[in-house]
């Protein structure tokens, strides 16, 4: 079973998880630097030619690195990645959830992941994400060298809103939220404005980087629905 087919079948059996649409060659994969714990995987494996990886993403800002196990055609390696917006400094002192080996049968693999990895991974990730918070209820919007939108936050609720409801993705290489590159500029702007407005209504303070310096967008007051009913 091809890696893409396997991760799609795995995601079908794991509510809340979404597979990456395509696989990526392991060689020089920047996302491998965000693997939290390799478990049974030696780093030398990443120099193996012909291997591809896929990533499963949960809307809480969690990701699993999935790749074939070298020399074991009937097994895959599933490795927990650093949660969104975190780096290795945010997990210092935490007991890392271990990467695991699973069979190529998606049903059996999903059952083993639930039993051996997911609970521990979710519990420990919450602490790491809180440590990465840039400030009280802060969301930071920036643009990379290609002027692509990138959002950083240390709150699971923001990940849930953007990933589960806003159509955003989580970049495996950086741990930042972004919109699909395939969107037209007008659609990108519309989704960004809608997503940030939802967060501001929930009490988050949004800071947007611009050529003129950071622009601050404080929380918005919730509309008074009772006033509309009295009219």
């Amino acid at each position: 079973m091809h890696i893409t087919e396997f991760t799609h079948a795995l995601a079908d059996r794991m509510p809340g998880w979404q597979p990456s649409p395509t696989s990526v060659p392991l060689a020089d994969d920047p996302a491998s630097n965000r693997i939290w714990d390799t478990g049974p995987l030696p780093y030398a494996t990443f120099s193996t030619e012909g291997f591809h990886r896929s990533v499963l993403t949960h809307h809480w800002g969690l990701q699993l690195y999935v790749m074939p196990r070298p020399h074991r055609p009937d097994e895959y390696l599933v490795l927990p990645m650093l949660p969104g917006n975190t780096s290795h400094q945010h997990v210092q002192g935490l007991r890392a959830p271990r990467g695991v080996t699973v069979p190529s049968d998606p049903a059996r693999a999903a059952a083993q992941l639930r039993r051996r990895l997911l609970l521990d991974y979710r519990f420990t990730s919450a602490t790491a994400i809180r440590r990465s918070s840039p400030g009280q209820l802060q969301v930071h919007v920036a643009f990379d060298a290609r002027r692509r939108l990138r959002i950083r936050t240390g709150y699971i609720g923001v990940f849930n809103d953007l990933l589960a409801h806003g159509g955003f993705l989580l970049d495996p290489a950086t741990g930042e939220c972004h919109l699909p590159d395939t969107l037209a500029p007008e659609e990108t702007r519309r989704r960004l404005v809608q997503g940030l407005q939802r967060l501001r209504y929930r009490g988050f303070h949004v800071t947007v980087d611009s050529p003129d310096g950071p622009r601050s967008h404080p929380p918005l007051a919730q509309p008074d629905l009772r006033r509309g009913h009295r009219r």
Side-chain angles (χ1 to χ4, degrees):
M1 182 179 291
H2 188 269
I3 182 69
T4 302
E5 182 183 0
F6 176 72
T7 50
H8 277 73
L10 198 57
D12 288 341
R13 294 162 173 82
M14 295 167 54
W17 293 89
Q18 294 293 327
S20 51
T22 58
S23 62
V24 174
L26 284 179
D28 301 321
D29 175 25
S32 65
N33 296 323
R34 300 196 68 255
I35 293 175
W36 190 342
D37 183 87
T38 59
L41 173 70
Y43 276 103
T45 300
F46 287 96
S47 63
T48 305
E49 294 185 2
F51 276 59
H52 284 65
R53 63 84 173 161
S54 188
V55 170
L56 289 167
T57 300
H58 192 276
H59 53 75
W60 289 353
L62 311 181
Q63 292 182 307
L64 296 171
Y65 196 101
V66 185
M67 60 171 287
R69 185 177 182 183
H71 315 301
R72 298 289 183 91
D74 294 329
E75 295 181 345
Y76 284 89
L77 293 168
V78 182
L79 312 172
M81 301 180 68
L82 294 172
N85 196 57
T86 69
S87 65
H88 285 281
Q89 71 180 35
H90 297 120
V91 299
Q92 289 183 0
L94 298 178
R95 179 176 173 271
R98 298 298 306 273
V100 298
T101 301
V102 297
S104 58
D105 177 80
R108 292 172 56 206
Q112 289 196 19
L113 287 175
R114 286 192 293 268
R115 185 175 68 253
R116 300 169 56 195
L117 175 61
L118 294 186
L119 183 61
D120 187 31
Y121 182 33
R122 290 171 179 172
F123 179 79
T124 311
S125 294
T127 300
I129 291 175
R130 284 195 299 270
R131 289 180 178 180
S132 74
S133 174
Q136 184 67 19
L137 296 179
Q138 295 286 322
V139 176
H140 190 176
V141 182
F143 297 86
D144 65 11
R146 295 169 54 188
R147 298 301 299 165
R148 297 177 303 178
L149 167 76
R150 293 294 184 267
I151 296 180
R152 301 195 304 272
T153 182
Y155 291 91
I156 292 176
V158 175
F159 286 116
N160 183 65
D161 187 285
L162 296 178
L163 300 177
H165 307 293
F168 282 73
L169 306 174
L170 190 62
D171 188 344
T174 66
E176 299 168 332
C177 292
H178 67 97
L179 285 164
D181 295 335
T182 54
L183 295 179
E186 296 80 7
E187 179 65 11
T188 297
R189 177 177 176 79
R190 185 186 69 83
R191 292 196 190 185
L192 173 62
V193 170
Q194 288 182 343
L196 295 182
Q197 188 175 48
R198 286 197 309 270
L199 296 177
R200 292 174 66 195
Y201 275 127
R202 293 180 56 191
F204 287 94
H205 191 122
V206 177
T207 301
V208 181
D209 285 351
S210 72
D212 301 326
R215 295 182 179 179
S216 180
H217 302 273
L220 294 170
Q222 288 284 355
D224 189 351
L225 300 179
R226 294 173 300 176
R227 181 175 300 177
H229 290 307
R230 289 198 296 265
R231 293 178 179 176

PDB file of all heavy atoms in Angstrom, residues 155-186:
ATOM      1  N   TYR A 155      -2.399  28.648  21.498  1.00  0.00           N
ATOM      2  CA  TYR A 155      -3.705  28.264  22.055  1.00  0.00           C
ATOM      3  C   TYR A 155      -4.350  27.189  21.190  1.00  0.00           C
ATOM      4  O   TYR A 155      -4.507  27.361  19.968  1.00  0.00           O
ATOM      5  CB  TYR A 155      -4.625  29.480  22.159  1.00  0.00           C
ATOM      6  CG  TYR A 155      -4.177  30.467  23.211  1.00  0.00           C
ATOM      7  CD1 TYR A 155      -3.317  31.506  22.889  1.00  0.00           C
ATOM      8  CD2 TYR A 155      -4.564  30.327  24.537  1.00  0.00           C
ATOM      9  CE1 TYR A 155      -2.870  32.393  23.855  1.00  0.00           C
ATOM     10  CE2 TYR A 155      -4.126  31.209  25.513  1.00  0.00           C
ATOM     11  CZ  TYR A 155      -3.278  32.244  25.158  1.00  0.00           C
ATOM     12  OH  TYR A 155      -2.838  33.112  26.126  1.00  0.00           O
ATOM     13  N   ILE A 156      -4.722  26.090  21.838  1.00  0.00           N
ATOM     14  CA  ILE A 156      -5.365  24.994  21.118  1.00  0.00           C
ATOM     15  C   ILE A 156      -6.676  25.462  20.496  1.00  0.00           C
ATOM     16  O   ILE A 156      -7.037  25.052  19.394  1.00  0.00           O
ATOM     17  CB  ILE A 156      -5.591  23.796  22.064  1.00  0.00           C
ATOM     18  CG1 ILE A 156      -4.239  23.185  22.464  1.00  0.00           C
ATOM     19  CG2 ILE A 156      -6.479  22.740  21.416  1.00  0.00           C
ATOM     20  CD1 ILE A 156      -4.342  22.066  23.477  1.00  0.00           C
ATOM     21  N   GLY A 157      -7.408  26.363  21.189  1.00  0.00           N
ATOM     22  CA  GLY A 157      -8.667  26.858  20.653  1.00  0.00           C
ATOM     23  C   GLY A 157      -8.510  27.577  19.327  1.00  0.00           C
ATOM     24  O   GLY A 157      -9.390  27.509  18.464  1.00  0.00           O
ATOM     25  N   VAL A 158      -7.386  28.269  19.147  1.00  0.00           N
ATOM     26  CA  VAL A 158      -7.140  28.957  17.874  1.00  0.00           C
ATOM     27  C   VAL A 158      -6.860  27.938  16.778  1.00  0.00           C
ATOM     28  O   VAL A 158      -7.371  28.051  15.654  1.00  0.00           O
ATOM     29  CB  VAL A 158      -5.972  29.948  18.009  1.00  0.00           C
ATOM     30  CG1 VAL A 158      -5.639  30.575  16.657  1.00  0.00           C
ATOM     31  CG2 VAL A 158      -6.318  31.030  19.022  1.00  0.00           C
ATOM     32  N   PHE A 159      -6.030  26.929  17.090  1.00  0.00           N
ATOM     33  CA  PHE A 159      -5.791  25.875  16.109  1.00  0.00           C
ATOM     34  C   PHE A 159      -7.109  25.229  15.692  1.00  0.00           C
ATOM     35  O   PHE A 159      -7.360  25.011  14.508  1.00  0.00           O
ATOM     36  CB  PHE A 159      -4.859  24.801  16.687  1.00  0.00           C
ATOM     37  CG  PHE A 159      -3.424  25.218  16.788  1.00  0.00           C
ATOM     38  CD1 PHE A 159      -2.809  25.316  18.027  1.00  0.00           C
ATOM     39  CD2 PHE A 159      -2.689  25.519  15.666  1.00  0.00           C
ATOM     40  CE1 PHE A 159      -1.482  25.700  18.132  1.00  0.00           C
ATOM     41  CE2 PHE A 159      -1.361  25.899  15.754  1.00  0.00           C
ATOM     42  CZ  PHE A 159      -0.760  25.994  16.996  1.00  0.00           C
ATOM     43  N   ASN A 160      -7.940  24.916  16.663  1.00  0.00           N
ATOM     44  CA  ASN A 160      -9.208  24.266  16.377  1.00  0.00           C
ATOM     45  C   ASN A 160     -10.068  25.122  15.458  1.00  0.00           C
ATOM     46  O   ASN A 160     -10.680  24.628  14.502  1.00  0.00           O
ATOM     47  CB  ASN A 160      -9.951  23.975  17.673  1.00  0.00           C
ATOM     48  CG  ASN A 160     -11.251  23.236  17.447  1.00  0.00           C
ATOM     49  OD1 ASN A 160     -11.255  22.101  16.989  1.00  0.00           O
ATOM     50  ND2 ASN A 160     -12.361  23.894  17.739  1.00  0.00           N
ATOM     51  N   ASP A 161     -10.123  26.423  15.724  1.00  0.00           N
ATOM     52  CA  ASP A 161     -10.936  27.318  14.898  1.00  0.00           C
ATOM     53  C   ASP A 161     -10.394  27.395  13.472  1.00  0.00           C
ATOM     54  O   ASP A 161     -11.141  27.255  12.496  1.00  0.00           O
ATOM     55  CB  ASP A 161     -10.971  28.712  15.520  1.00  0.00           C
ATOM     56  CG  ASP A 161     -11.939  29.646  14.805  1.00  0.00           C
ATOM     57  OD1 ASP A 161     -11.603  30.100  13.699  1.00  0.00           O
ATOM     58  OD2 ASP A 161     -13.022  29.909  15.341  1.00  0.00           O
ATOM     59  N   LEU A 162      -9.092  27.620  13.334  1.00  0.00           N
ATOM     60  CA  LEU A 162      -8.506  27.810  12.008  1.00  0.00           C
ATOM     61  C   LEU A 162      -8.473  26.521  11.196  1.00  0.00           C
ATOM     62  O   LEU A 162      -8.797  26.510  10.006  1.00  0.00           O
ATOM     63  CB  LEU A 162      -7.093  28.372  12.135  1.00  0.00           C
ATOM     64  CG  LEU A 162      -6.974  29.763  12.765  1.00  0.00           C
ATOM     65  CD1 LEU A 162      -5.504  30.166  12.870  1.00  0.00           C
ATOM     66  CD2 LEU A 162      -7.744  30.806  11.958  1.00  0.00           C
ATOM     67  N   LEU A 163      -8.093  25.412  11.836  1.00  0.00           N
ATOM     68  CA  LEU A 163      -7.920  24.158  11.105  1.00  0.00           C
ATOM     69  C   LEU A 163      -9.241  23.435  10.862  1.00  0.00           C
ATOM     70  O   LEU A 163      -9.459  22.874   9.788  1.00  0.00           O
ATOM     71  CB  LEU A 163      -6.954  23.237  11.857  1.00  0.00           C
ATOM     72  CG  LEU A 163      -5.536  23.781  12.077  1.00  0.00           C
ATOM     73  CD1 LEU A 163      -4.719  22.797  12.909  1.00  0.00           C
ATOM     74  CD2 LEU A 163      -4.847  24.064  10.762  1.00  0.00           C
ATOM     75  N   ALA A 164     -10.113  23.436  11.853  1.00  0.00           N
ATOM     76  CA  ALA A 164     -11.365  22.679  11.721  1.00  0.00           C
ATOM     77  C   ALA A 164     -12.459  23.470  11.020  1.00  0.00           C
ATOM     78  O   ALA A 164     -13.338  22.881  10.388  1.00  0.00           O
ATOM     79  CB  ALA A 164     -11.853  22.234  13.101  1.00  0.00           C
ATOM     80  N   HIS A 165     -12.425  24.798  11.133  1.00  0.00           N
ATOM     81  CA  HIS A 165     -13.539  25.594  10.614  1.00  0.00           C
ATOM     82  C   HIS A 165     -13.137  26.667   9.612  1.00  0.00           C
ATOM     83  O   HIS A 165     -13.985  27.148   8.869  1.00  0.00           O
ATOM     84  CB  HIS A 165     -14.267  26.274  11.774  1.00  0.00           C
ATOM     85  CG  HIS A 165     -14.699  25.334  12.856  1.00  0.00           C
ATOM     86  ND1 HIS A 165     -15.672  24.371  12.662  1.00  0.00           N
ATOM     87  CD2 HIS A 165     -14.271  25.179  14.137  1.00  0.00           C
ATOM     88  CE1 HIS A 165     -15.834  23.677  13.773  1.00  0.00           C
ATOM     89  NE2 HIS A 165     -14.991  24.142  14.680  1.00  0.00           N
ATOM     90  N   GLY A 166     -11.867  27.047   9.579  1.00  0.00           N
ATOM     91  CA  GLY A 166     -11.459  28.151   8.721  1.00  0.00           C
ATOM     92  C   GLY A 166     -10.780  27.762   7.430  1.00  0.00           C
ATOM     93  O   GLY A 166     -10.414  28.634   6.642  1.00  0.00           O
ATOM     94  N   GLY A 167     -10.586  26.460   7.197  1.00  0.00           N
ATOM     95  CA  GLY A 167      -9.938  26.028   5.969  1.00  0.00           C
ATOM     96  C   GLY A 167      -8.435  26.224   5.961  1.00  0.00           C
ATOM     97  O   GLY A 167      -7.799  26.157   4.903  1.00  0.00           O
ATOM     98  N   PHE A 168      -7.827  26.446   7.135  1.00  0.00           N
ATOM     99  CA  PHE A 168      -6.386  26.629   7.221  1.00  0.00           C
ATOM    100  C   PHE A 168      -5.682  25.275   7.292  1.00  0.00           C
ATOM    101  O   PHE A 168      -6.290  24.251   7.594  1.00  0.00           O
ATOM    102  CB  PHE A 168      -6.022  27.451   8.460  1.00  0.00           C
ATOM    103  CG  PHE A 168      -6.246  28.926   8.316  1.00  0.00           C
ATOM    104  CD1 PHE A 168      -7.538  29.449   8.308  1.00  0.00           C
ATOM    105  CD2 PHE A 168      -5.187  29.798   8.184  1.00  0.00           C
ATOM    106  CE1 PHE A 168      -7.766  30.810   8.181  1.00  0.00           C
ATOM    107  CE2 PHE A 168      -5.392  31.173   8.065  1.00  0.00           C
ATOM    108  CZ  PHE A 168      -6.688  31.674   8.058  1.00  0.00           C
ATOM    109  N   LEU A 169      -4.388  25.294   7.022  1.00  0.00           N
ATOM    110  CA  LEU A 169      -3.530  24.122   7.104  1.00  0.00           C
ATOM    111  C   LEU A 169      -2.435  24.392   8.138  1.00  0.00           C
ATOM    112  O   LEU A 169      -2.195  25.536   8.512  1.00  0.00           O
ATOM    113  CB  LEU A 169      -2.902  23.817   5.747  1.00  0.00           C
ATOM    114  CG  LEU A 169      -3.860  23.664   4.566  1.00  0.00           C
ATOM    115  CD1 LEU A 169      -3.080  23.521   3.263  1.00  0.00           C
ATOM    116  CD2 LEU A 169      -4.796  22.476   4.761  1.00  0.00           C
ATOM    117  N   LEU A 170      -1.751  23.319   8.569  1.00  0.00           N
ATOM    118  CA  LEU A 170      -0.640  23.452   9.504  1.00  0.00           C
ATOM    119  C   LEU A 170       0.627  22.993   8.792  1.00  0.00           C
ATOM    120  O   LEU A 170       0.731  21.840   8.380  1.00  0.00           O
ATOM    121  CB  LEU A 170      -0.887  22.607  10.758  1.00  0.00           C
ATOM    122  CG  LEU A 170       0.067  22.833  11.927  1.00  0.00           C
ATOM    123  CD1 LEU A 170      -0.021  24.263  12.438  1.00  0.00           C
ATOM    124  CD2 LEU A 170      -0.227  21.857  13.054  1.00  0.00           C
ATOM    125  N   ASP A 171       1.569  23.905   8.631  1.00  0.00           N
ATOM    126  CA  ASP A 171       2.797  23.621   7.896  1.00  0.00           C
ATOM    127  C   ASP A 171       3.677  22.660   8.703  1.00  0.00           C
ATOM    128  O   ASP A 171       4.121  23.001   9.801  1.00  0.00           O
ATOM    129  CB  ASP A 171       3.547  24.934   7.648  1.00  0.00           C
ATOM    130  CG  ASP A 171       4.742  24.759   6.730  1.00  0.00           C
ATOM    131  OD1 ASP A 171       5.183  23.609   6.527  1.00  0.00           O
ATOM    132  OD2 ASP A 171       5.227  25.779   6.200  1.00  0.00           O
ATOM    133  N   PRO A 172       3.947  21.453   8.193  1.00  0.00           N
ATOM    134  CA  PRO A 172       4.773  20.508   8.952  1.00  0.00           C
ATOM    135  C   PRO A 172       6.195  21.008   9.196  1.00  0.00           C
ATOM    136  O   PRO A 172       6.834  20.607  10.164  1.00  0.00           O
ATOM    137  CB  PRO A 172       4.772  19.252   8.073  1.00  0.00           C
ATOM    138  CG  PRO A 172       3.579  19.383   7.200  1.00  0.00           C
ATOM    139  CD  PRO A 172       3.432  20.852   6.952  1.00  0.00           C
ATOM    140  N   ALA A 173       6.696  21.874   8.324  1.00  0.00           N
ATOM    141  CA  ALA A 173       8.081  22.336   8.452  1.00  0.00           C
ATOM    142  C   ALA A 173       8.243  23.443   9.477  1.00  0.00           C
ATOM    143  O   ALA A 173       9.319  23.605  10.047  1.00  0.00           O
ATOM    144  CB  ALA A 173       8.605  22.806   7.093  1.00  0.00           C
ATOM    145  N   THR A 174       7.182  24.224   9.723  1.00  0.00           N
ATOM    146  CA  THR A 174       7.302  25.386  10.615  1.00  0.00           C
ATOM    147  C   THR A 174       6.360  25.350  11.813  1.00  0.00           C
ATOM    148  O   THR A 174       6.574  26.081  12.788  1.00  0.00           O
ATOM    149  CB  THR A 174       7.036  26.680   9.839  1.00  0.00           C
ATOM    150  OG1 THR A 174       5.659  26.707   9.412  1.00  0.00           O
ATOM    151  CG2 THR A 174       7.944  26.796   8.629  1.00  0.00           C
ATOM    152  N   GLY A 175       5.288  24.561  11.748  1.00  0.00           N
ATOM    153  CA  GLY A 175       4.300  24.559  12.821  1.00  0.00           C
ATOM    154  C   GLY A 175       3.402  25.775  12.800  1.00  0.00           C
ATOM    155  O   GLY A 175       2.728  26.074  13.794  1.00  0.00           O
ATOM    156  N   GLU A 176       3.348  26.489  11.668  1.00  0.00           N
ATOM    157  CA  GLU A 176       2.521  27.682  11.540  1.00  0.00           C
ATOM    158  C   GLU A 176       1.277  27.379  10.706  1.00  0.00           C
ATOM    159  O   GLU A 176       1.307  26.537   9.805  1.00  0.00           O
ATOM    160  CB  GLU A 176       3.322  28.808  10.880  1.00  0.00           C
ATOM    161  CG  GLU A 176       4.551  29.224  11.661  1.00  0.00           C
ATOM    162  CD  GLU A 176       5.472  30.119  10.872  1.00  0.00           C
ATOM    163  OE1 GLU A 176       5.491  30.013   9.631  1.00  0.00           O
ATOM    164  OE2 GLU A 176       6.178  30.929  11.492  1.00  0.00           O
ATOM    165  N   CYS A 177       0.193  28.090  10.992  1.00  0.00           N
ATOM    166  CA  CYS A 177      -1.040  27.947  10.219  1.00  0.00           C
ATOM    167  C   CYS A 177      -0.947  28.794   8.955  1.00  0.00           C
ATOM    168  O   CYS A 177      -0.384  29.898   8.963  1.00  0.00           O
ATOM    169  CB  CYS A 177      -2.248  28.385  11.046  1.00  0.00           C
ATOM    170  SG  CYS A 177      -2.629  27.311  12.438  1.00  0.00           S
ATOM    171  N   HIS A 178      -1.520  28.290   7.896  1.00  0.00           N
ATOM    172  CA  HIS A 178      -1.543  29.044   6.649  1.00  0.00           C
ATOM    173  C   HIS A 178      -2.717  28.577   5.803  1.00  0.00           C
ATOM    174  O   HIS A 178      -3.292  27.507   6.049  1.00  0.00           O
ATOM    175  CB  HIS A 178      -0.233  28.877   5.878  1.00  0.00           C
ATOM    176  CG  HIS A 178      -0.016  27.470   5.368  1.00  0.00           C
ATOM    177  ND1 HIS A 178      -0.314  27.076   4.087  1.00  0.00           N
ATOM    178  CD2 HIS A 178       0.463  26.364   5.993  1.00  0.00           C
ATOM    179  CE1 HIS A 178      -0.022  25.795   3.934  1.00  0.00           C
ATOM    180  NE2 HIS A 178       0.441  25.341   5.088  1.00  0.00           N
ATOM    181  N   LEU A 179      -3.065  29.370   4.808  1.00  0.00           N
ATOM    182  CA  LEU A 179      -4.123  29.004   3.873  1.00  0.00           C
ATOM    183  C   LEU A 179      -3.511  28.301   2.664  1.00  0.00           C
ATOM    184  O   LEU A 179      -2.331  28.508   2.354  1.00  0.00           O
ATOM    185  CB  LEU A 179      -4.896  30.249   3.440  1.00  0.00           C
ATOM    186  CG  LEU A 179      -5.858  30.793   4.495  1.00  0.00           C
ATOM    187  CD1 LEU A 179      -6.301  32.217   4.164  1.00  0.00           C
ATOM    188  CD2 LEU A 179      -7.075  29.886   4.646  1.00  0.00           C
ATOM    189  N   PRO A 180      -4.281  27.465   1.965  1.00  0.00           N
ATOM    190  CA  PRO A 180      -3.734  26.759   0.795  1.00  0.00           C
ATOM    191  C   PRO A 180      -3.185  27.732  -0.245  1.00  0.00           C
ATOM    192  O   PRO A 180      -3.795  28.766  -0.533  1.00  0.00           O
ATOM    193  CB  PRO A 180      -4.949  25.985   0.259  1.00  0.00           C
ATOM    194  CG  PRO A 180      -5.851  25.823   1.442  1.00  0.00           C
ATOM    195  CD  PRO A 180      -5.677  27.064   2.259  1.00  0.00           C
ATOM    196  N   ASP A 181      -2.032  27.402  -0.814  1.00  0.00           N
ATOM    197  CA  ASP A 181      -1.424  28.256  -1.822  1.00  0.00           C
ATOM    198  C   ASP A 181      -2.241  28.303  -3.110  1.00  0.00           C
ATOM    199  O   ASP A 181      -2.009  29.177  -3.957  1.00  0.00           O
ATOM    200  CB  ASP A 181      -0.011  27.763  -2.144  1.00  0.00           C
ATOM    201  CG  ASP A 181       0.933  27.887  -0.948  1.00  0.00           C
ATOM    202  OD1 ASP A 181       0.668  28.738  -0.078  1.00  0.00           O
ATOM    203  OD2 ASP A 181       1.920  27.134  -0.897  1.00  0.00           O
ATOM    204  N   THR A 182      -3.168  27.359  -3.272  1.00  0.00           N
ATOM    205  CA  THR A 182      -3.960  27.303  -4.498  1.00  0.00           C
ATOM    206  C   THR A 182      -5.095  28.331  -4.521  1.00  0.00           C
ATOM    207  O   THR A 182      -5.727  28.519  -5.558  1.00  0.00           O
ATOM    208  CB  THR A 182      -4.555  25.902  -4.675  1.00  0.00           C
ATOM    209  OG1 THR A 182      -5.288  25.550  -3.481  1.00  0.00           O
ATOM    210  CG2 THR A 182      -3.448  24.869  -4.887  1.00  0.00           C
ATOM    211  N   LEU A 183      -5.369  28.988  -3.404  1.00  0.00           N
ATOM    212  CA  LEU A 183      -6.461  29.954  -3.360  1.00  0.00           C
ATOM    213  C   LEU A 183      -6.098  31.229  -4.106  1.00  0.00           C
ATOM    214  O   LEU A 183      -4.944  31.658  -4.119  1.00  0.00           O
ATOM    215  CB  LEU A 183      -6.805  30.305  -1.911  1.00  0.00           C
ATOM    216  CG  LEU A 183      -7.375  29.197  -1.023  1.00  0.00           C
ATOM    217  CD1 LEU A 183      -7.613  29.737   0.374  1.00  0.00           C
ATOM    218  CD2 LEU A 183      -8.654  28.636  -1.604  1.00  0.00           C
ATOM    219  N   ALA A 184      -7.108  31.850  -4.709  1.00  0.00           N
ATOM    220  CA  ALA A 184      -6.912  33.153  -5.333  1.00  0.00           C
ATOM    221  C   ALA A 184      -6.673  34.202  -4.251  1.00  0.00           C
ATOM    222  O   ALA A 184      -7.126  34.030  -3.109  1.00  0.00           O
ATOM    223  CB  ALA A 184      -8.139  33.530  -6.169  1.00  0.00           C
ATOM    224  N   PRO A 185      -5.951  35.283  -4.557  1.00  0.00           N
ATOM    225  CA  PRO A 185      -5.664  36.306  -3.538  1.00  0.00           C
ATOM    226  C   PRO A 185      -6.917  36.844  -2.858  1.00  0.00           C
ATOM    227  O   PRO A 185      -6.914  37.090  -1.649  1.00  0.00           O
ATOM    228  CB  PRO A 185      -4.945  37.392  -4.338  1.00  0.00           C
ATOM    229  CG  PRO A 185      -4.319  36.669  -5.495  1.00  0.00           C
ATOM    230  CD  PRO A 185      -5.281  35.574  -5.839  1.00  0.00           C
ATOM    231  N   GLU A 186      -8.005  37.011  -3.609  1.00  0.00           N
ATOM    232  CA  GLU A 186      -9.231  37.546  -3.022  1.00  0.00           C
ATOM    233  C   GLU A 186      -9.819  36.567  -2.008  1.00  0.00           C
ATOM    234  O   GLU A 186     -10.304  36.968  -0.939  1.00  0.00           O
ATOM    235  CB  GLU A 186     -10.265  37.842  -4.118  1.00  0.00           C
ATOM    236  CG  GLU A 186      -9.848  38.914  -5.101  1.00  0.00           C
ATOM    237  CD  GLU A 186      -8.899  38.387  -6.177  1.00  0.00           C
ATOM    238  OE1 GLU A 186      -8.681  37.142  -6.220  1.00  0.00           O
ATOM    239  OE2 GLU A 186      -8.378  39.216  -6.942  1.00  0.00           O
TER     240      GLU A 186
END
